[in-house]
Amino acid sequence: MRRFGFGIDPEMCMQIRPYRLSQLNLGDFSLAGYSVAGEESVILAPELDVAFDIGKCPREALTVNHVLLSHGHMDHAAGITYYFAQRDFQGNEGGMALVPADLVGPLERLMTAWGAVEGHIPPHRFVGMVAGDEYEIRRGLLARALATNHLPGSLGFAVVDVRQKLKEQFLGLTGPQIVELKNKGVEITNRVEVPLVAFLGDTGLANYADLPYVANAKVLLIECTFFDADHLRRARAGKHMHVADLPKALEGISSERIIIIHVTRRTNMAAARKILRTTLPKDVLERITFLMSRQHIEED
Ligand SMILES: [Zn+2]
Ligand SMILES: [Zn+2]
């Protein structure tokens, strides 16, 4: 039997599988993430400068300036101290996190405790959010918090592009005419919202389609933790989505892309796809993909 120099049987070695983020190109922006229930959930939208949850803070997450934290479960929040510490270490100041309002105190205490461990508290900023609150990520781009059905105070987030559009009655006017109206103080534009991504964090079934910035989001990130028929009770107890909930959850959702996240590691993807094919209408099915689908992970 072939052995390594130091006497370890290669058959006995742990198989190290490379950790890779899935990548999806969505036209105007892209997503890169890793999301497995109970293990880690982090989804980056680099062009929008946000991370939906921080997971264990993969290296790629350090470049985005806004962490949108849905709730405090370890698989979603563990990397938050590392995020601030590592950014400080790299001289990349200015990172911040939008977090459920009742987590600001505990997270501050966590930073203090970690500071005592490491000998220094890195610069950090938590902004407490409740459902309906908005935060301007940059001019014309905002994050809006929404309530989710998971934990008290748990949140989802929609990233919304806000544009000013010339009112219809002024469309035929020349530049100077528009300037003249503007100088007279006439309101010539309408505020138009284009929701780009809606992220529902961890959640049981709720009426998300009632929120226009979710129903019309270009991309919907929706969890579906359980696919096994025996796991319906577990889904209810943990306030997670079961595949049996998906048809109702997606009713009225007109997103171009629906991306399923937070599937358990034990889920057999082929079986899961088969269930989707038998339970979802064709027009929904065509828009659905799994974040962790192998097709989104570059193999070399
Ligand atoms: Zn989770
Ligand atoms: Zn959770």
Side-chain angles (χ1 to χ4, degrees), residues 71 73 75-76 150-151 202 240 262:
H71 65 298
H73 283 160
D75 49 326
H76 300 256
H150 187 56
L151 293 177
D202 278 4
H240 285 294
H262 206 266

Side-chain angles (χ1 to χ4, degrees), residues 179-287:
V179 172
E180 200 186 319
L181 282 173
K182 233 176 154 179
N183 290 342
K184 280 191 203 152
V186 178
E187 198 64 63
I188 56 166
T189 55
N190 280 326
R191 186 179 184 278
V192 179
E193 287 195 358
V194 181
L196 300 177
V197 187
F199 163 68
L200 306 181
D202 278 4
T203 185
L205 194 58
N207 295 330
Y208 293 112
D210 291 349
L211 303 171
Y213 49 89
V214 174
N216 304 319
K218 195 173 161 173
V219 177
L220 176 69
L221 290 164
I222 185 169
E223 76 127 289
C224 188
T225 307
F226 297 105
F227 284 78
D228 194 321
D230 295 340
H231 288 163
L232 196 60
R233 211 177 325 149
R234 275 179 70 185
R236 296 283 178 275
K239 293 201 171 169
H240 285 294
M241 212 79 84
H242 186 280
V243 69
D245 299 320
L246 272 192
K248 184 148 196 337
L250 296 175
E251 225 176 79
I253 296 289
S254 58
S255 305
E256 282 168 39
R257 297 295 294 273
I258 298 163
I259 300 170
I260 295 181
I261 58 173
H262 206 266
V263 173
T264 61
R265 179 164 285 289
R266 274 190 243 148
T267 306
N268 176 320
M269 295 295 261
R273 284 197 182 89
K274 205 167 158 191
I275 298 171
L276 292 185
R277 281 199 294 274
T278 56
T279 54
L280 291 175
K282 194 163 166 278
D283 77 296
V284 176
L285 208 54
E286 282 166 351
R287 295 178 281 143

Side-chain angles (χ1 to χ4, degrees), residues 2-47:
R2 195 172 64 86
R3 285 179 185 277
F4 288 137
F6 39 94
I8 297 172
D9 177 356
E11 298 286 315
M12 301 292 285
C13 285
M14 193 167 94
Q15 294 294 311
I16 309 278
R17 202 164 44 86
Y19 171 96
R20 288 228 174 83
L21 302 183
S22 291
Q23 282 190 285
L24 282 93
N25 189 337
L26 300 155
D28 301 337
F29 59 93
S30 64
L31 295 176
Y34 186 95
S35 178
V36 175
E39 190 180 311
E40 179 174 18
S41 243
V42 51
I43 297 156
L44 314 171
E47 292 83 6

